[in-house]
Amino acid sequence: MITFDVITIFPEVFDPYLKTSILGRAQKKKLIKVNLINLRRFTTDNHRTVDDTPFGGGPGMVLKIEPIYKAVQSLKAKSRKILPAGRQVKTRVILFSPRGKKFNQKTAKRLSKYDQLILISGRYEGVDERVAKHIADEEISIGDYILSGGELPALVLIEAVSRHVSGVLGKKESLEEIKGSYPVYTRPAEFTPKDSSTSSPQGKTRRGLKVPKVLLSGNHKKIDEWRKKHSS
Ligand code: SAH
């Protein structure tokens, strides 16, 4: 079982998504576990302050190192306690940052080999750089754009990593995992749009939109070849 510990100031945004479909089932089957940790629990002042203004000036606020340090320490200590003696927990601490290494399928597979992934979601202007340098094992970006927080990146990582955990996917979904992603079609074999605005390779006609013939042929060798040719 792989445990995802997500450190965030918005734990409430995760629930409905995590309960749905494949991820919901994976948790019920105890193949994965997701803990949502509110960073404010690790503050010591009355206002539960997690952020402060940036040194050197400039707009916005920066997430402080202390609460993040305490949260990570506590999560590592907790996981040490649960494990049967002798077996060492493999933990990886990940910080989400637009400057991190770009996330891809290979990274997802590599991370699926850990017992515990501690995911730190940033907010505001980002996270005190000492977290990247001294607390996180790696920094990950999910793409070349700026989001408002690390919550969506955490969900993206949890889903992509979980799909590599044995038993999480049914037979049907795992096919894509092996063969790469290919285009798919379903009934009807020909769809005729009512308006003339739908474009088709034949031009803006009202002709039907057809499914590639080979997929209707029942010839599985040919179908496999077609999928391989069109897969990424
Ligand atoms: N001013 C910061 C951006 C902060 S965005 C900078 O230029 O680096 C706030 C937080 O959202 C970040 O700390 C990070 O945790 C998350 N985030 C934003 N875009 C992201 C991306 N593409 N990938 C991963 N995390 C991202």
Side-chain angles (χ1 to χ4, degrees):
M1 178 165 87
I2 175 162
T3 301
F4 299 92
D5 290 316
V6 189
I7 300 172
T8 169
I9 57 170
F10 295 116
E12 68 275 10
V13 303
F14 289 82
D15 254 12
Y17 192 81
L18 288 174
K19 275 195 194 129
T20 308
S21 187
I22 292 176
L23 287 180
R25 274 199 303 278
Q27 289 168 94
K28 274 203 190 118
K29 288 204 259 172
K30 301 212 182 318
L31 299 169
I32 66 164
K33 189 172 189 335
V34 185
N35 297 318
L36 303 168
I37 294 101
N38 192 333
L39 184 60
R40 292 192 195 280
R41 262 179 46 204
F42 296 90
T43 55
T44 42
D45 62 313
N46 288 339
H47 300 290
R48 309 179 87 198
T49 311
V50 289
D51 57 341
D52 206 337
T53 53
F55 280 125
M61 300 297 275
V62 176
L63 287 184
K64 290 154 69 66
I65 184 171
E66 288 135 297
I68 293 176
Y69 172 78
K70 284 186 189 151
V72 170
Q73 288 300 102
S74 126
L75 290 166
K76 283 184 170 174
K78 214 170 94 193
S79 73
R80 267 198 297 273
K81 254 185 252 161
I82 341 171
L83 257 207
R87 162 104 153 75
Q88 222 184 338
V89 195
K90 277 178 72 187
T91 296
R92 196 82 173 153
V93 181
I94 290 159
L95 172 68
F96 291 109
S97 159
R99 288 185 309 281
K101 190 171 161 256
K102 199 92 59 69
F103 188 62
N104 59 22
Q105 187 77 331
K106 208 173 141 202
T107 308
K109 192 167 184 181
R110 171 172 63 81
L111 293 176
S112 72
K113 309 284 188 273
Y114 285 89
D115 302 302
Q116 181 187 30
L117 294 178
I118 299 178
L119 311 178
I120 305 168
S121 296
R123 272 274 158 181
Y124 313 126
E125 280 310 307
V127 179
D128 186 308
E129 186 65 13
R130 287 168 291 186
V131 172
K133 292 234 161 75
H134 305 288
I135 297 176
D137 297 310
E138 56 188 292
E139 271 183 285
I140 286 182
S141 159
I142 64 157
D144 292 333
Y145 38 78
I146 310 287
L147 299 165
S148 307
E151 286 75 18
L152 287 171
L155 283 172
V156 166
L157 184 144
I158 291 170
E159 181 157 310
V161 170
S162 296
R163 291 171 65 90
H164 291 283
V165 174
S166 141
V168 166
L169 293 185
K171 256 193 206 147
K172 272 190 206 142
E173 299 105 331
S174 16
L175 202 65
E176 191 173 64
E177 234 52 44
I178 298 158
K179 296 192 176 173
S181 166
Y182 50 81
V184 290
Y185 296 84
T186 187
R187 273 178 283 274
E190 181 168 351
F191 172 69
T192 310
K194 293 272 179 288
D195 67 336
S196 53
S197 65
T198 311
S199 68
S200 70
Q202 296 96 334
K204 290 186 177 179
T205 60
R206 287 183 61 177
R207 244 181 294 168
L209 309 175
K210 288 183 186 156
V211 169
K213 269 208 190 85
V214 57
L215 299 180
L216 312 172
S217 69
N219 183 334
H220 289 287
K221 197 167 157 264
K222 285 249 168 70
I223 291 171
D224 273 357
E225 277 165 20
W226 184 90
R227 286 182 171 165
K228 218 169 271 164
K229 195 172 142 206
H230 293 86
S231 75
S232 65

